[in-house]
Amino acid sequence: MSLLSLALPAIRVYWIGFRVVLHQLLRRLLRPGWPLKPVFPLQNGNVAIVTGGTRGIGYHTVKYLARLGMHVIIVEFLYCDLASMKSIHQFVQAFKAKNYSLHVLINNAAVMLVPERKTEDGFEEHFGINYMGHFLLTNLLLETLKQSGTHSHNARIVTLSSATHYVAELRLNDLQSSCLYSPHGAYAQSKLALVLSAYRLQHLLTAEGSHVTVNVVDPGVVNTDLYQNVCWAAKMVKWMTGWLLLKSPEEGASTSIYAAVSPELEGIGACYLCNEQRTKSADVSYDEELQKRLWTESCRLVGIPDTAP
């Protein structure tokens, strides 16, 4: 294992982070008053599930959706020691027992740049929490989402990725990063996996005529506790300039909220959204063969059937 092979993922991640921060700063300077707060329609008791909804972006997403009259259920089992396939199955069983409809699922919870360690199920932590947990949760709730969606009001799945997916490499033969562990590479890979999986799921839903849409959100670089594992230099920069360069958690939640309730996205899926606008994700994320292979492998890893053609 060379020092260069360990350093490159970190260089790529910090480079893309710098570019995003610079863009955010220019946008703030050139557009005073940004971001504007749009007015969204009341949700009249529609049900949403938000993972990681007690802090940061998730908290402000939950807060805003509740203000719109949505019944929001916060799921916290995707964090660290509580992340397990068993707990996800238990939650879904309890949720379905209440016979709720489900109009919005927001896959928000994440860890970033953690030391090499595994979840209870043996997954590398970034891959297990950021991707596998949400993959299983989404699939277990999919039938409920399909039943809740209608032609005029689709159910929605919103998945949070990040700009780091642009510099990620997906290693299908080493998804657990066991051959070469880099926290930066593992984090970026998990975020690319989320984009690939979201596009594949939208393809499958569209093919069967389901009234469910799947979109991916890039919240930007946001001033939250997610950065507790970055290098000391980055922590110092964040401490000194975060108020200017980074989005606040409330600003970071704006695109998640837009994806969840905006009438502009009614019936529209497979979009990569940043700053409440559709933009292009990484070229590799549109590789349909890679999407299929990741989907099949993900089904195998969580123990659910792959019924896709």
Side-chain angles (χ1 to χ4, degrees), residues 23-35:
H23 181 264
Q24 290 177 180
L25 175 61
L26 291 174
R27 187 181 176 106
R28 196 183 298 276
L29 294 174
L30 296 174
R31 298 178 61 182
W34 172 81

Side-chain angles (χ1 to χ4, degrees), residues 127-260:
F127 197 73
I129 294 176
N130 297 356
Y131 174 68
M132 293 306 306
H134 287 122
F135 179 86
L136 178 61
L137 179 67
T138 299
N139 275 277
L140 293 179
L141 291 171
L142 203 51
E143 197 56 42
T144 304
L145 285 158
K146 291 176 183 178
Q147 293 170 5
S148 303
T150 66
H151 178 73
S152 59
H153 191 82
N154 282 240
R156 302 188 185 190
I157 300 169
V158 179
T159 294
L160 271 71
S161 181
S162 94
T164 59
H165 92 277
Y166 286 106
V167 296
E169 294 181 63
L170 189 81
R171 294 188 172 95
L172 276 171
N173 60 343
D174 187 26
L175 291 173
Q176 310 306 325
S177 302
S178 55
C179 295
L180 175 64
Y181 184 76
S182 158
H184 302 83
Y187 174 73
Q189 177 179 244
S190 72
K191 291 302 183 176
L192 174 57
L194 287 167
V195 183
L196 287 160
S197 181
Y199 290 169
R200 176 59 178 165
L201 178 55
Q202 183 63 75
H203 173 80
L204 296 174
L205 290 167
T206 300
E208 66 183 29
S210 295
H211 298 302
V212 182
T213 59
V214 190
N215 288 302
V216 184
V217 164
D218 178 349
V221 181
V222 186
N223 198 355
T224 71
D225 292 337
L226 196 62
Y227 297 89
Q228 59 186 322
N229 293 306
V230 298
C231 70
W232 68 268
K235 283 183 180 179
M236 185 63 67
V237 171
K238 177 178 177 290
W239 178 72
M240 292 189 298
T241 64
W243 61 275
L244 176 64
L245 300 179
L246 308 188
K247 292 183 181 180
S248 69
E250 185 175 8
E251 290 170 340
S254 63
T255 305
S256 296
I257 297 162
Y258 172 78

Side-chain angles (χ1 to χ4, degrees), residues 32-304:
W34 172 81
L36 300 175
K37 292 185 177 180
V39 177
F40 294 121
L42 295 177
Q43 296 302 299
N44 302 318
N46 286 346
V47 178
I49 290 176
V50 180
T51 68
T54 61
R55 67 194 85 180
I57 295 170
Y59 169 76
H60 287 280
T61 302
V62 168
K63 188 176 176 181
Y64 197 101
L65 293 180
R67 285 178 180 169
L68 291 176
M70 190 167 269
H71 178 64
V72 187
I73 299 169
I74 298 173
V75 182
E76 279 298 333
F77 54 70
L78 291 175
Y79 277 109
C80 301
D81 294 338
L82 295 178
S84 72
M85 301 300 110
K86 180 180 179 181
S87 62
I88 293 171
H89 278 281
Q90 289 173 340
F91 166 77
V92 172
Q93 288 174 357
F95 176 80
K96 289 184 175 180
K98 296 181 182 294
N99 293 316
Y100 283 130
S101 295
L102 179 58
H103 305 91
V104 177
L105 169 63
I106 302 182
N107 294 319
N108 167 84
V111 294
M112 186 173 77
L113 307 187
V114 297
E116 186 173 10
R117 58 194 185 203
K118 296 185 181 298
T119 66
E120 182 179 319
D121 300 287
F123 298 123
E124 185 277 316
E125 194 166 299
H126 293 98
F127 197 73
I129 294 176
N130 297 356
Y131 174 68
M132 293 306 306
H134 287 122
F135 179 86
L136 178 61
L137 179 67
T138 299
N139 275 277
L140 293 179
L141 291 171
L142 203 51
E143 197 56 42
T144 304
L145 285 158
K146 291 176 183 178
Q147 293 170 5
S148 303
T150 66
H151 178 73
S152 59
H153 191 82
N154 282 240
R156 302 188 185 190
I157 300 169
V158 179
T159 294
L160 271 71
S161 181
S162 94
T164 59
H165 92 277
Y166 286 106
V167 296
E169 294 181 63
L170 189 81
R171 294 188 172 95
L172 276 171
N173 60 343
D174 187 26
L175 291 173
Q176 310 306 325
S177 302
S178 55
C179 295
L180 175 64
Y181 184 76
S182 158
H184 302 83
Y187 174 73
Q189 177 179 244
S190 72
K191 291 302 183 176
L192 174 57
L194 287 167
V195 183
L196 287 160
S197 181
Y199 290 169
R200 176 59 178 165
L201 178 55
Q202 183 63 75
H203 173 80
L204 296 174
L205 290 167
T206 300
E208 66 183 29
S210 295
H211 298 302
V212 182
T213 59
V214 190
N215 288 302
V216 184
V217 164
D218 178 349
V221 181
V222 186
N223 198 355
T224 71
D225 292 337
L226 196 62
Y227 297 89
Q228 59 186 322
N229 293 306
V230 298
C231 70
W232 68 268
K235 283 183 180 179
M236 185 63 67
V237 171
K238 177 178 177 290
W239 178 72
M240 292 189 298
T241 64
W243 61 275
L244 176 64
L245 300 179
L246 308 188
K247 292 183 181 180
S248 69
E250 185 175 8
E251 290 170 340
S254 63
T255 305
S256 296
I257 297 162
Y258 172 78
V261 297
S262 174
E264 294 177 11
L265 288 177
E266 179 55 49
I268 298 173
C271 296
Y272 188 83
L273 304 167
C274 184
N275 296 323
E276 298 89 53
Q277 294 180 333
R278 296 180 227 177
T279 189
K280 187 174 181 293
S281 55
D283 289 342
V284 69
S285 67
Y286 299 104
D287 184 333
E288 293 185 1
E289 183 59 31
L290 186 59
Q291 293 170 12
K292 290 179 184 178
R293 292 173 63 195
L294 175 63
W295 184 272
T296 298
E297 180 63 9
S298 301
C299 288
R300 186 189 71 80
L301 288 170
V302 298
I304 61 174

